[in-house]
Amino acid sequence: MAKDPVCGMYVDEKKAPFSAVQDGFTYYFCSEECLKAFTKPQAEMKKLKYIAAFSLSLGALTLIFEYLYKATIPGAPEYFLLFLLATPVQFIGGWRFYVGLRDAIKARAANMDSLIAIGTSAAWIYSTIFTFQGVIWPQIFPGTDGMSEVYFTESGLIIGFILLGRYMEHLVKGRASSAIRRLMDLQPKMAKVIRGKKEVDIPVEEVQGGDIFVVRPGEKIP
């Protein structure tokens, strides 16, 4: 079993729908989003930052209007405003999770996106049915006598916080990779080797077993 280098999920190489070759090594991915994050990290980070901010902003408004300041739209169902705020988060902010769920179904395997998509969708569908029951369709679910009867806030904030977590994870990985690249750049690119009776400068990749190379005081060892 291979390990997805982006999300850490284990992937069956024979069933993995996505893969990429880098530096002669093949990496396997559980979803298209993970593949994009690996091959185009900067573009994916920028996209994640904006979509996480969008989701958390609408999620915070949903939280305020559901628990702190009860707001409704005159003539509309009681939770219609929450529905308007949560729906863009569910299907715009959460679109990448639906893509991951689709890829998991194609591969006949489960991944983290499957859990997020199914869980938040269940909360959104239940809340939508509850919001419009008695208006568009007959009443299906009874009220809960004072307790919160919908889960628009929970579904929206779950999506927002997971997107924020992924953005921070990519940010940390990017900084670590940059530090490693700077360390690698400190390595000498050329080596002085003895060929015959002369010192010859050659790329370090061409140094072979048995070569004698020269390192003077203060110089870096190739």
Side-chain angles (χ1 to χ4, degrees):
M1 295 286 284
K3 191 175 184 180
D4 188 321
V6 176
C7 69
M9 294 288 293
Y10 286 97
V11 183
D12 188 341
E13 296 95 326
K14 297 179 181 179
K15 297 180 180 179
F18 302 101
S19 63
V21 178
Q22 194 170 94
D23 298 328
F25 191 82
T26 303
Y27 297 89
Y28 297 90
F29 306 90
C30 67
S31 68
E32 185 178 4
E33 296 300 325
C34 287
L35 174 64
K36 289 179 180 178
F38 185 81
T39 56
K40 301 177 181 178
Q42 295 302 322
E44 186 65 15
M45 273 188 60
K46 186 176 181 180
K47 183 179 178 182
L48 262 176
K49 179 173 71 173
Y50 289 127
I51 204 68
F54 168 81
S55 300
L56 286 173
S57 298
L58 291 186
L61 286 175
T62 309
L63 174 68
I64 292 170
F65 291 142
E66 182 175 356
Y67 294 105
L68 303 179
Y69 178 77
K70 299 286 185 179
T72 59
I73 297 176
E78 180 181 0
Y79 298 109
F80 185 64
L81 178 60
L82 304 182
F83 168 81
L84 292 180
L85 292 171
T87 300
V89 178
Q90 186 67 41
F91 296 104
I92 297 177
W95 179 250
R96 64 181 53 240
F97 303 123
Y98 289 108
V99 172
L101 174 61
R102 179 203 65 190
D103 296 335
I105 292 173
K106 286 183 178 179
R108 297 181 181 180
N111 57 24
M112 188 60 69
D113 291 342
S114 308
L115 175 63
I116 300 166
I118 293 172
T120 58
S121 294
W124 182 87
I125 290 170
Y126 168 82
S127 302
T128 300
I129 293 174
F130 191 94
T131 298
F132 292 102
Q133 65 180 359
V135 179
I136 298 178
W137 42 70
Q139 184 167 344
I140 300 173
F141 302 113
T144 53
D145 298 328
M147 296 179 64
S148 178
E149 297 167 331
V150 294
Y151 300 96
F152 289 126
T153 297
E154 288 77 4
S155 63
L157 287 180
I158 285 172
I159 290 173
F161 282 123
I162 290 175
L163 290 173
L164 177 63
R166 289 193 176 181
Y167 170 72
M168 294 176 69
E169 181 183 3
H170 289 323
L171 190 64
V172 171
K173 284 183 177 179
R175 289 178 178 174
S177 298
S178 178
I180 292 172
R181 281 194 295 270
R182 286 197 296 269
L183 285 174
M184 295 294 289
D185 289 339
L186 294 176
Q187 292 182 330
K189 302 293 190 296
M190 305 294 289
K192 291 185 176 67
V193 299
I194 304 296
R195 294 286 164 87
K197 295 184 179 180
K198 296 182 179 179
E199 293 183 8
V200 181
D201 289 329
I202 64 172
V204 292
E205 292 83 3
E206 295 180 9
V207 176
Q208 299 177 357
D211 279 342
I212 298 175
F213 65 94
V214 179
V215 181
R216 292 187 171 84
E219 292 183 343
K220 297 174 182 176
I221 300 176

